[in-house]
Amino acid sequence: MLIRIPKDWALPESAVTPERDYHLRPRPVSPRREFLKTLGYGAAGLAGTSLLPGNVFATTAGFPTRVNPDFRDPALVPTSYDYITSYNNFYEFGTGKADPKPNANKGWKTEPWTVEITGLIRNPVKIDANDLVMKMGGAEQRVYRFRCVEAWSMVIPWDGFPLSKLIAFADPKPEAKYVTFTTFLDPKSAPGQRGGALEWPYFEGLRLDEANHDLSFIATGIYGKPIPNQNGAPLRLVVPWKYGFKYGKSIVKIDFVAREPRNTWKMMASHEYGFYANVNPTVDHPRWSQASERVIGAGGVLGQRQRTLMFNGYEKQVAGLYTGMDLRKFY
Ligand code: MTE
């Protein structure tokens, strides 16, 4: 991954404003764009952020969302909404951290949005993103650690649904062993796709058992609001024990396959980025240490350092997926 040092950081002072929690009353299900209008999202709507307390409903992507207490560790302090939505990696919209927010909001349309679920399954379908969320039973909120391979981290309240629900809906055949996630291709709207920073479209993959793990999630919102374009609207993958490059944004195709798929960053630099990309403090990137990470928004613009946790703190839950594997080889 291109690593840019401090001059790349261009967040406004407002980005360090502490969160002010607020409560939203239950809302009827409404189209996502309607909800964006209601909130004045994109300008005034940014002022309010909410980390939803248990049993309070709010709306994300036009859907009610509710905190899932099983995924709300009180020791985790969520990063501010402003940081989460203005310090981004989304090369389709530029390689600087501050590029995606302005560039992904200059007319790129993420609604309506169709996603294709295909491959070695019994229920292939092309479906509208909002209809898919409805079929998945709506949204819930989970607070997860987020760790980028570039050695920085955040804590993010995601809204969305478990990926295992989508897999059950797709109904894989026994030959399906992996799932691929292809993200959008639209060079007219995405200036980065008119250049060669990466091969397009960006795509990622998981082993089917990883994808079926309880922690694997499809995000449709952040902090109880529809997921902003720069964070991968309307659907993006979240796998919290893996480095952030696994979290494909703005997914258009989910394909069930028999063999381990290629993935964008492994294709670009296989000596630096692997298929598994599990967070591991003992396996350094060839160009930097992974033993510690900068916590974005904590203590200074570039964040205080803290120790990296094995599997990003989810070791108890996921280590069993890799029993007997040499994690230095399968990095
Ligand atoms: N998905 C697409 N389509 N394009 C990208 O450039 N960057 C990845 C991942 N998903 C990327 C992507 C990387 S490197 C990271 S760290 C995360 O998205 C960043 O997510 P965030 O901007 O929401 O923090």
Side-chain angles (χ1 to χ4, degrees):
M1 221 140 295
L2 297 179
I3 271 277
R4 307 262 206 112
I5 324 250
K7 69 177 172 40
D8 193 38
W9 180 267
L11 283 176
E13 187 56 26
S14 60
V16 293
T17 311
E19 294 305 314
R20 265 177 292 129
D21 289 2
Y22 77 103
H23 299 216
L24 294 173
R25 274 190 238 109
R27 288 172 160 278
V29 171
S30 61
R32 191 156 51 97
R33 199 52 64 189
E34 276 305 303
F35 176 62
L36 294 175
K37 272 194 255 150
T38 319
L39 264 187
Y41 190 73
L46 286 180
T49 53
S50 71
L51 181 60
L52 300 170
N55 301 324
V56 172
F57 285 86
T59 306
T60 184
F63 299 94
T65 186
R66 176 144 82 151
V67 169
N68 182 334
D70 295 340
F71 300 93
R72 172 82 172 90
D73 175 355
L76 293 182
V77 180
T79 305
S80 83
Y81 182 85
D82 289 319
Y83 276 116
I84 296 170
T85 59
S86 45
Y87 187 84
N88 298 107
N89 275 335
F90 203 172
Y91 278 25
E92 287 86 336
F93 296 98
T95 54
K97 297 285 182 282
D99 294 339
K101 184 175 173 181
N103 294 343
N105 290 289
K106 287 181 184 157
W108 177 43
K109 293 219 175 339
T110 56
E111 187 175 11
W113 189 275
T114 303
V115 59
E116 181 180 9
I117 303 174
T118 185
L120 301 169
I121 55 176
R122 296 188 186 88
N123 188 25
V125 67
K126 278 187 187 169
I127 186 168
D128 173 78
N130 287 329
D131 294 344
L132 178 66
V133 182
M134 297 259 253
K135 276 211 182 311
M136 298 299 106
E140 62 178 66
Q141 188 175 88
R142 298 178 173 198
V143 179
Y144 281 163
R145 292 189 179 84
F146 175 87
R147 172 61 154 81
C148 176
V149 74
E150 296 165 341
W152 52 267
S153 70
M154 298 189 187
V155 171
I156 305 184
W158 299 107
D159 305 279
F161 57 85
L163 180 54
S164 58
K165 280 194 185 175
L166 184 147
I167 295 171
F169 170 69
D171 196 6
K173 296 178 180 167
E175 312 89 89
K177 302 290 183 221
Y178 293 87
V179 193
T180 70
F181 301 85
T182 306
T183 79
F184 81 107
L185 183 64
D186 180 2
K188 271 204 196 108
S189 307
Q193 290 184 335
R194 302 197 286 269
L198 295 177
E199 263 185 48
W200 311 111
Y202 191 103
F203 63 99
E204 259 307 336
L206 295 173
R207 245 172 35 197
L208 186 59
D209 59 342
E210 295 179 311
N212 247 327
H213 192 279
D214 232 18
L215 289 167
S216 300
F217 201 63
I218 297 290
T220 61
I222 290 175
Y223 267 113
K225 296 180 186 180
I227 193 163
N229 284 0
Q230 65 269 27
N231 291 87
L235 303 166
R236 67 100 48 103
L237 181 62
V238 173
V239 269
W241 70 98
K242 293 181 178 284
Y243 291 121
F245 70 84
K246 295 297 289 183
Y247 298 38
K249 290 179 169 181
S250 307
I251 294 165
V252 295
K253 187 159 110 179
I254 300 176
D255 194 2
F256 291 73
V257 298
R259 299 236 173 91
E260 181 180 299
R262 301 189 310 163
N263 53 309
T264 294
W265 277 103
K266 184 175 176 185
M267 266 166 47
M268 300 306 296
S270 61
H271 57 295
E272 300 197 337
Y273 309 104
F275 172 75
Y276 280 92
N278 291 319
V279 176
N280 188 337
T282 70
V283 178
D284 286 337
H285 185 280
R287 288 184 280 135
W288 58 86
S289 165
Q290 293 292 21
S292 70
E293 64 201 33
R294 291 184 291 111
V295 184
I296 299 298
V301 170
L302 285 175
Q304 258 161 14
R305 280 206 168 267
Q306 67 182 16
R307 268 187 331 113
T308 303
L309 298 174
M310 188 63 200
F311 292 112
N312 202 26
Y314 299 98
E315 184 170 12
K316 239 188 357 205
Q317 293 96 316
V318 302
L321 291 170
Y322 309 104
T323 309
M325 282 175 68
D326 178 353
L327 297 178
R328 302 202 143 263
K329 193 163 158 231
F330 296 96
Y331 57 88

